[in-house]
Amino acid sequence: MMELAPLMPEQDAVARALVLAQLAGTRYLARTMEQLDAALRFEDPEYLAVLAEHDGDVTALALFGTVAGARQCSKLHALIGSDGEALDALAIGVAELCADAGERLLVAELPDDAIFAAAYSALRAAGFAEEGRIDDYVADGVGLRLLVWRNA
């Protein structure tokens, strides 16, 4: 059974292992670990985390939070995992959390890189629309997709 739950301090090691398994050796690892560290400090609403557990195993992680200085807008920093069902559940779950908090927008900036293909599919299935793209932004040949979920 799939369950979503806030990241708790005692899950630090499993969350780090999940990020490492997905992003080791990539340009994305360092920043994602910084965001995870911020979420684990529980001091800044810009950095929150939710885990997906499937039959007792943590299989995916979402890092998100409010956008400082913006009203009713949150940002999905990362959607990490290899379990498509868990990614789908997290994408929908984070959007629902934001809706319940009165957010109007949830924005995800996602590199157009093969490592994020499953996350991209999950976001699209959860109702995120690709509203922009910046070619060669991340690196030569790697664009940045701008996806937005709107609270209707």
Side-chain angles (χ1 to χ4, degrees), residues 89-122:
L90 275 174
I92 291 167
V94 169
E96 288 174 350
L97 285 169
C98 289
D100 291 347
E103 299 291 273
R104 292 179 306 110
L105 299 172
L106 179 56
V107 178
E109 297 176 352
L110 195 64
D112 188 9
D113 199 328
I115 197 165
F116 297 110
Y120 178 79
S121 294

Side-chain angles (χ1 to χ4, degrees), residues 69-145:
R71 293 184 54 200
Q72 297 176 307
C73 181
S74 287
K75 180 178 177 189
L76 180 65
H77 303 293
L79 187 59
I80 304 293
S82 57
D83 180 328
E85 182 182 349
L87 292 172
D88 289 346
L90 275 174
I92 291 167
V94 169
E96 288 174 350
L97 285 169
C98 289
D100 291 347
E103 299 291 273
R104 292 179 306 110
L105 299 172
L106 179 56
V107 178
E109 297 176 352
L110 195 64
D112 188 9
D113 199 328
I115 197 165
F116 297 110
Y120 178 79
S121 294
L123 293 171
R124 294 290 296 180
F128 283 74
E130 187 170 331
E131 294 195 4
R133 177 184 171 82
I134 306 168
D135 291 330
D136 301 314
Y137 184 82
V138 176
D140 286 344
V142 182
L144 183 68
R145 292 173 165 171

Side-chain angles (χ1 to χ4, degrees), residues 55-69:
D55 295 329
D57 294 324
V58 174
T59 58
L61 165 73
L63 295 165
F64 68 102
T66 59
V67 175

